[in-house]
Amino acid sequence: MSSQATPIQGSRPVTPPLTSAGSPRSPVSPESLHPPACRHRDRSPSPMRGYLIPSPLPTRRNRTCSATARALEGPSFAGVCKCFSRSKGHGFISPSDGGSDIFVHISDIEGEYVPVEGDEVSYKICSIPPKHEKVQAVEVAITHLNPGTKHETWAGRVVSS
């Protein structure tokens, strides 16, 4: 058996391979295969940019209409902001009647200011799927700013209270 291929009768002629990438018959030059080095794209300042796994928590955007309606019909509660991280996008509220801390997502905060530790808030609760055993705070509004602390608006302006 011969190692050389023989042309099949009636087939089209085979084009010989190019000997060098820069030859006149080459459709593209090696330089055009690489993107220009000066191209730089500004990234979004989103704090969630580095996370690859989507959050299983229902935010305002992906909460169902029925869950939103149930939360709005429920009673309003009062509490104190235990902690809130704008860069992480969530925080916790300590209920004024005691009990365990309640999770709050950044999309559920109403008003002009970013909550800080010690702010008094009012909120409603909504269960967290899939088992609906835990709850999160929704429709969170700051009722009293913690005196003596600096508060930041969502636009980034810092205000002393």
Side-chain angles (χ1 to χ4, degrees), residues 20-21 29 32 35 37-38 40 50-51 62 70 74-75 78 88 92 96 99 116 121 126 128 142-144 149 151 160:
S20 70
S29 64
S32 67
C38 62
H40 176 70
Y51 298 99
N62 61 11
R70 281 193 305 271
K88 291 181 181 178
F92 292 92
S96 58
V116 296
V121 296
C126 180
I128 300 174
I142 300 174
T143 55
H144 291 75
T149 60
H151 284 79
S160 297

PDB file of all heavy atoms in Angstrom, residues 20-21 29 32 35 37-38 40 50-51 62 70 74-75 78 88 92 96 99 116 121 126 128 142-144 149 151 160:
ATOM      1  N   SER A  20       4.016  29.621   2.821  1.00  0.00           N
ATOM      2  CA  SER A  20       4.270  30.593   3.881  1.00  0.00           C
ATOM      3  C   SER A  20       3.024  31.441   4.080  1.00  0.00           C
ATOM      4  O   SER A  20       2.270  31.695   3.151  1.00  0.00           O
ATOM      5  CB  SER A  20       5.470  31.484   3.543  1.00  0.00           C
ATOM      6  OG  SER A  20       5.137  32.349   2.494  1.00  0.00           O
ATOM      7  N   ALA A  21       2.830  31.900   5.336  1.00  0.00           N
ATOM      8  CA  ALA A  21       1.631  32.672   5.650  1.00  0.00           C
ATOM      9  C   ALA A  21       1.644  34.038   4.985  1.00  0.00           C
ATOM     10  O   ALA A  21       0.612  34.629   4.758  1.00  0.00           O
ATOM     11  CB  ALA A  21       1.489  32.841   7.152  1.00  0.00           C
ATOM     12  N   SER A  29      -3.173  38.005   6.541  1.00  0.00           N
ATOM     13  CA  SER A  29      -1.809  38.024   7.044  1.00  0.00           C
ATOM     14  C   SER A  29      -1.840  37.695   8.535  1.00  0.00           C
ATOM     15  O   SER A  29      -2.846  37.905   9.209  1.00  0.00           O
ATOM     16  CB  SER A  29      -1.184  39.396   6.811  1.00  0.00           C
ATOM     17  OG  SER A  29      -1.877  40.366   7.549  1.00  0.00           O
ATOM     18  N   SER A  32      -3.168  40.414  10.958  1.00  0.00           N
ATOM     19  CA  SER A  32      -4.594  40.741  11.020  1.00  0.00           C
ATOM     20  C   SER A  32      -5.377  39.763  11.892  1.00  0.00           C
ATOM     21  O   SER A  32      -6.535  39.997  12.196  1.00  0.00           O
ATOM     22  CB  SER A  32      -5.191  40.772   9.613  1.00  0.00           C
ATOM     23  OG  SER A  32      -5.173  39.467   9.059  1.00  0.00           O
ATOM     24  N   PRO A  35      -6.112  41.003  17.592  1.00  0.00           N
ATOM     25  CA  PRO A  35      -6.791  42.291  17.788  1.00  0.00           C
ATOM     26  C   PRO A  35      -5.778  43.377  18.128  1.00  0.00           C
ATOM     27  O   PRO A  35      -4.710  43.091  18.654  1.00  0.00           O
ATOM     28  CB  PRO A  35      -7.727  42.035  18.965  1.00  0.00           C
ATOM     29  CG  PRO A  35      -7.131  40.873  19.673  1.00  0.00           C
ATOM     30  CD  PRO A  35      -6.422  40.054  18.634  1.00  0.00           C
ATOM     31  N   ALA A  37      -3.734  46.081  20.059  1.00  0.00           N
ATOM     32  CA  ALA A  37      -3.371  46.109  21.469  1.00  0.00           C
ATOM     33  C   ALA A  37      -3.993  47.283  22.202  1.00  0.00           C
ATOM     34  O   ALA A  37      -4.122  47.269  23.414  1.00  0.00           O
ATOM     35  CB  ALA A  37      -1.857  46.157  21.614  1.00  0.00           C
ATOM     36  N   CYS A  38      -4.413  48.329  21.501  1.00  0.00           N
ATOM     37  CA  CYS A  38      -4.918  49.534  22.143  1.00  0.00           C
ATOM     38  C   CYS A  38      -6.393  49.424  22.540  1.00  0.00           C
ATOM     39  O   CYS A  38      -6.916  50.303  23.195  1.00  0.00           O
ATOM     40  CB  CYS A  38      -4.718  50.738  21.242  1.00  0.00           C
ATOM     41  SG  CYS A  38      -5.615  50.602  19.685  1.00  0.00           S
ATOM     42  N   HIS A  40      -9.343  48.722  24.673  1.00  0.00           N
ATOM     43  CA  HIS A  40      -9.648  48.446  26.074  1.00  0.00           C
ATOM     44  C   HIS A  40     -11.087  48.853  26.326  1.00  0.00           C
ATOM     45  O   HIS A  40     -11.492  49.959  25.987  1.00  0.00           O
ATOM     46  CB  HIS A  40      -8.712  49.209  27.002  1.00  0.00           C
ATOM     47  CG  HIS A  40      -9.058  49.018  28.448  1.00  0.00           C
ATOM     48  ND1 HIS A  40      -8.859  47.816  29.089  1.00  0.00           N
ATOM     49  CD2 HIS A  40      -9.598  49.853  29.355  1.00  0.00           C
ATOM     50  CE1 HIS A  40      -9.275  47.939  30.346  1.00  0.00           C
ATOM     51  NE2 HIS A  40      -9.716  49.167  30.528  1.00  0.00           N
ATOM     52  N   GLY A  50     -17.950  40.004  39.506  1.00  0.00           N
ATOM     53  CA  GLY A  50     -17.052  38.869  39.674  1.00  0.00           C
ATOM     54  C   GLY A  50     -17.725  37.563  40.008  1.00  0.00           C
ATOM     55  O   GLY A  50     -17.086  36.528  40.039  1.00  0.00           O
ATOM     56  N   TYR A  51     -19.001  37.574  40.273  1.00  0.00           N
ATOM     57  CA  TYR A  51     -19.689  36.360  40.669  1.00  0.00           C
ATOM     58  C   TYR A  51     -20.280  35.674  39.449  1.00  0.00           C
ATOM     59  O   TYR A  51     -20.924  36.294  38.622  1.00  0.00           O
ATOM     60  CB  TYR A  51     -20.804  36.675  41.661  1.00  0.00           C
ATOM     61  CG  TYR A  51     -20.283  37.286  42.935  1.00  0.00           C
ATOM     62  CD1 TYR A  51     -20.326  38.653  43.128  1.00  0.00           C
ATOM     63  CD2 TYR A  51     -19.729  36.501  43.924  1.00  0.00           C
ATOM     64  CE1 TYR A  51     -19.839  39.226  44.283  1.00  0.00           C
ATOM     65  CE2 TYR A  51     -19.231  37.063  45.085  1.00  0.00           C
ATOM     66  CZ  TYR A  51     -19.295  38.414  45.258  1.00  0.00           C
ATOM     67  OH  TYR A  51     -18.809  38.969  46.396  1.00  0.00           O
ATOM     68  N   ASN A  62     -36.974  39.390  40.019  1.00  0.00           N
ATOM     69  CA  ASN A  62     -37.385  38.032  39.681  1.00  0.00           C
ATOM     70  C   ASN A  62     -38.395  37.426  40.648  1.00  0.00           C
ATOM     71  O   ASN A  62     -38.668  36.243  40.587  1.00  0.00           O
ATOM     72  CB  ASN A  62     -36.160  37.112  39.538  1.00  0.00           C
ATOM     73  CG  ASN A  62     -35.350  36.995  40.804  1.00  0.00           C
ATOM     74  OD1 ASN A  62     -35.771  37.418  41.875  1.00  0.00           O
ATOM     75  ND2 ASN A  62     -34.173  36.423  40.684  1.00  0.00           N
ATOM     76  N   ARG A  70     -48.591  38.991  48.109  1.00  0.00           N
ATOM     77  CA  ARG A  70     -48.700  38.468  49.484  1.00  0.00           C
ATOM     78  C   ARG A  70     -47.881  39.313  50.447  1.00  0.00           C
ATOM     79  O   ARG A  70     -48.308  39.596  51.564  1.00  0.00           O
ATOM     80  CB  ARG A  70     -48.237  37.013  49.535  1.00  0.00           C
ATOM     81  CG  ARG A  70     -49.250  36.015  49.046  1.00  0.00           C
ATOM     82  CD  ARG A  70     -48.864  34.588  49.422  1.00  0.00           C
ATOM     83  NE  ARG A  70     -47.530  34.209  48.968  1.00  0.00           N
ATOM     84  CZ  ARG A  70     -47.262  33.678  47.783  1.00  0.00           C
ATOM     85  NH1 ARG A  70     -48.229  33.455  46.911  1.00  0.00           N
ATOM     86  NH2 ARG A  70     -46.028  33.356  47.460  1.00  0.00           N
ATOM     87  N   GLY A  74     -49.307  41.835  53.689  1.00  0.00           N
ATOM     88  CA  GLY A  74     -48.925  41.477  55.056  1.00  0.00           C
ATOM     89  C   GLY A  74     -48.683  42.693  55.924  1.00  0.00           C
ATOM     90  O   GLY A  74     -48.637  43.828  55.457  1.00  0.00           O
ATOM     91  N   PRO A  75     -48.507  42.431  57.225  1.00  0.00           N
ATOM     92  CA  PRO A  75     -48.264  43.540  58.164  1.00  0.00           C
ATOM     93  C   PRO A  75     -46.882  44.141  57.986  1.00  0.00           C
ATOM     94  O   PRO A  75     -45.977  43.521  57.428  1.00  0.00           O
ATOM     95  CB  PRO A  75     -48.387  42.866  59.527  1.00  0.00           C
ATOM     96  CG  PRO A  75     -48.029  41.432  59.271  1.00  0.00           C
ATOM     97  CD  PRO A  75     -48.516  41.139  57.888  1.00  0.00           C
ATOM     98  N   ALA A  78     -41.120  46.724  62.315  1.00  0.00           N
ATOM     99  CA  ALA A  78     -40.081  47.709  62.589  1.00  0.00           C
ATOM    100  C   ALA A  78     -38.830  46.980  63.051  1.00  0.00           C
ATOM    101  O   ALA A  78     -38.903  45.898  63.636  1.00  0.00           O
ATOM    102  CB  ALA A  78     -40.533  48.696  63.650  1.00  0.00           C
ATOM    103  N   LYS A  88     -21.640  44.398  48.426  1.00  0.00           N
ATOM    104  CA  LYS A  88     -22.132  43.018  48.355  1.00  0.00           C
ATOM    105  C   LYS A  88     -23.588  42.962  47.926  1.00  0.00           C
ATOM    106  O   LYS A  88     -24.054  41.944  47.435  1.00  0.00           O
ATOM    107  CB  LYS A  88     -21.978  42.324  49.705  1.00  0.00           C
ATOM    108  CG  LYS A  88     -20.543  42.064  50.085  1.00  0.00           C
ATOM    109  CD  LYS A  88     -20.469  41.348  51.410  1.00  0.00           C
ATOM    110  CE  LYS A  88     -19.030  41.106  51.818  1.00  0.00           C
ATOM    111  NZ  LYS A  88     -18.953  40.445  53.124  1.00  0.00           N
ATOM    112  N   PHE A  92     -28.567  42.885  56.850  1.00  0.00           N
ATOM    113  CA  PHE A  92     -29.461  42.223  57.788  1.00  0.00           C
ATOM    114  C   PHE A  92     -30.133  43.250  58.684  1.00  0.00           C
ATOM    115  O   PHE A  92     -29.557  44.286  59.004  1.00  0.00           O
ATOM    116  CB  PHE A  92     -28.692  41.206  58.637  1.00  0.00           C
ATOM    117  CG  PHE A  92     -28.215  40.032  57.835  1.00  0.00           C
ATOM    118  CD1 PHE A  92     -26.956  40.041  57.250  1.00  0.00           C
ATOM    119  CD2 PHE A  92     -29.034  38.936  57.634  1.00  0.00           C
ATOM    120  CE1 PHE A  92     -26.521  38.971  56.484  1.00  0.00           C
ATOM    121  CE2 PHE A  92     -28.609  37.859  56.870  1.00  0.00           C
ATOM    122  CZ  PHE A  92     -27.347  37.878  56.300  1.00  0.00           C
ATOM    123  N   SER A  96     -37.316  44.625  65.941  1.00  0.00           N
ATOM    124  CA  SER A  96     -37.442  45.307  67.227  1.00  0.00           C
ATOM    125  C   SER A  96     -38.114  44.423  68.271  1.00  0.00           C
ATOM    126  O   SER A  96     -37.923  44.629  69.465  1.00  0.00           O
ATOM    127  CB  SER A  96     -38.225  46.615  67.065  1.00  0.00           C
ATOM    128  OG  SER A  96     -39.495  46.348  66.523  1.00  0.00           O
ATOM    129  N   GLY A  99     -35.973  38.053  68.030  1.00  0.00           N
ATOM    130  CA  GLY A  99     -35.961  37.042  66.990  1.00  0.00           C
ATOM    131  C   GLY A  99     -34.682  37.099  66.176  1.00  0.00           C
ATOM    132  O   GLY A  99     -33.783  37.915  66.423  1.00  0.00           O
ATOM    133  N   VAL A 116     -27.341  52.286  57.005  1.00  0.00           N
ATOM    134  CA  VAL A 116     -26.119  52.021  57.767  1.00  0.00           C
ATOM    135  C   VAL A 116     -26.526  51.430  59.110  1.00  0.00           C
ATOM    136  O   VAL A 116     -27.696  51.459  59.501  1.00  0.00           O
ATOM    137  CB  VAL A 116     -25.263  53.293  57.977  1.00  0.00           C
ATOM    138  CG1 VAL A 116     -24.752  53.837  56.659  1.00  0.00           C
ATOM    139  CG2 VAL A 116     -26.011  54.343  58.738  1.00  0.00           C
ATOM    140  N   VAL A 121     -35.709  51.078  60.617  1.00  0.00           N
ATOM    141  CA  VAL A 121     -36.368  50.796  59.346  1.00  0.00           C
ATOM    142  C   VAL A 121     -37.737  50.164  59.576  1.00  0.00           C
ATOM    143  O   VAL A 121     -38.004  49.591  60.625  1.00  0.00           O
ATOM    144  CB  VAL A 121     -35.511  49.854  58.461  1.00  0.00           C
ATOM    145  CG1 VAL A 121     -34.209  50.506  58.070  1.00  0.00           C
ATOM    146  CG2 VAL A 121     -35.244  48.533  59.147  1.00  0.00           C
ATOM    147  N   CYS A 126     -41.255  38.509  53.210  1.00  0.00           N
ATOM    148  CA  CYS A 126     -41.597  37.629  52.099  1.00  0.00           C
ATOM    149  C   CYS A 126     -40.790  36.346  52.290  1.00  0.00           C
ATOM    150  O   CYS A 126     -39.607  36.410  52.643  1.00  0.00           O
ATOM    151  CB  CYS A 126     -41.240  38.303  50.779  1.00  0.00           C
ATOM    152  SG  CYS A 126     -41.599  37.348  49.316  1.00  0.00           S
ATOM    153  N   ILE A 128     -38.665  32.958  51.397  1.00  0.00           N
ATOM    154  CA  ILE A 128     -37.629  32.665  50.412  1.00  0.00           C
ATOM    155  C   ILE A 128     -37.820  31.235  49.909  1.00  0.00           C
ATOM    156  O   ILE A 128     -37.844  30.300  50.694  1.00  0.00           O
ATOM    157  CB  ILE A 128     -36.226  32.811  51.032  1.00  0.00           C
ATOM    158  CG1 ILE A 128     -36.010  34.227  51.550  1.00  0.00           C
ATOM    159  CG2 ILE A 128     -35.154  32.437  50.025  1.00  0.00           C
ATOM    160  CD1 ILE A 128     -34.707  34.417  52.299  1.00  0.00           C
ATOM    161  N   ILE A 142     -36.242  53.489  55.418  1.00  0.00           N
ATOM    162  CA  ILE A 142     -35.583  54.037  56.610  1.00  0.00           C
ATOM    163  C   ILE A 142     -36.536  55.029  57.249  1.00  0.00           C
ATOM    164  O   ILE A 142     -36.960  55.995  56.617  1.00  0.00           O
ATOM    165  CB  ILE A 142     -34.249  54.703  56.254  1.00  0.00           C
ATOM    166  CG1 ILE A 142     -33.306  53.686  55.610  1.00  0.00           C
ATOM    167  CG2 ILE A 142     -33.613  55.326  57.482  1.00  0.00           C
ATOM    168  CD1 ILE A 142     -32.011  54.284  55.090  1.00  0.00           C
ATOM    169  N   THR A 143     -36.886  54.798  58.525  1.00  0.00           N
ATOM    170  CA  THR A 143     -37.797  55.697  59.228  1.00  0.00           C
ATOM    171  C   THR A 143     -37.037  56.753  60.027  1.00  0.00           C
ATOM    172  O   THR A 143     -37.498  57.883  60.131  1.00  0.00           O
ATOM    173  CB  THR A 143     -38.736  54.905  60.159  1.00  0.00           C
ATOM    174  OG1 THR A 143     -37.960  54.095  61.044  1.00  0.00           O
ATOM    175  CG2 THR A 143     -39.676  54.023  59.352  1.00  0.00           C
ATOM    176  N   HIS A 144     -35.889  56.392  60.606  1.00  0.00           N
ATOM    177  CA  HIS A 144     -35.052  57.342  61.352  1.00  0.00           C
ATOM    178  C   HIS A 144     -33.595  57.039  61.048  1.00  0.00           C
ATOM    179  O   HIS A 144     -33.141  55.911  61.227  1.00  0.00           O
ATOM    180  CB  HIS A 144     -35.279  57.226  62.865  1.00  0.00           C
ATOM    181  CG  HIS A 144     -36.619  57.698  63.299  1.00  0.00           C
ATOM    182  ND1 HIS A 144     -37.770  56.976  63.100  1.00  0.00           N
ATOM    183  CD2 HIS A 144     -37.005  58.841  63.908  1.00  0.00           C
ATOM    184  CE1 HIS A 144     -38.808  57.634  63.574  1.00  0.00           C
ATOM    185  NE2 HIS A 144     -38.376  58.777  64.074  1.00  0.00           N
ATOM    186  N   THR A 149     -23.986  59.708  62.318  1.00  0.00           N
ATOM    187  CA  THR A 149     -23.295  58.908  61.298  1.00  0.00           C
ATOM    188  C   THR A 149     -23.436  59.569  59.935  1.00  0.00           C
ATOM    189  O   THR A 149     -24.373  60.326  59.699  1.00  0.00           O
ATOM    190  CB  THR A 149     -23.866  57.481  61.215  1.00  0.00           C
ATOM    191  OG1 THR A 149     -25.242  57.552  60.889  1.00  0.00           O
ATOM    192  CG2 THR A 149     -23.683  56.744  62.518  1.00  0.00           C
ATOM    193  N   HIS A 151     -24.330  59.393  56.100  1.00  0.00           N
ATOM    194  CA  HIS A 151     -25.193  58.599  55.230  1.00  0.00           C
ATOM    195  C   HIS A 151     -24.892  58.933  53.773  1.00  0.00           C
ATOM    196  O   HIS A 151     -24.671  60.088  53.435  1.00  0.00           O
ATOM    197  CB  HIS A 151     -26.672  58.866  55.548  1.00  0.00           C
ATOM    198  CG  HIS A 151     -27.122  58.194  56.791  1.00  0.00           C
ATOM    199  ND1 HIS A 151     -26.858  58.696  58.042  1.00  0.00           N
ATOM    200  CD2 HIS A 151     -27.797  57.045  56.967  1.00  0.00           C
ATOM    201  CE1 HIS A 151     -27.361  57.891  58.944  1.00  0.00           C
ATOM    202  NE2 HIS A 151     -27.945  56.873  58.324  1.00  0.00           N
ATOM    203  N   SER A 160     -24.022  64.245  56.341  1.00  0.00           N
ATOM    204  CA  SER A 160     -23.912  64.021  57.791  1.00  0.00           C
ATOM    205  C   SER A 160     -25.264  64.267  58.433  1.00  0.00           C
ATOM    206  O   SER A 160     -25.955  65.216  58.093  1.00  0.00           O
ATOM    207  CB  SER A 160     -22.880  64.957  58.402  1.00  0.00           C
ATOM    208  OG  SER A 160     -21.605  64.700  57.874  1.00  0.00           O
TER     209      SER A 160
END
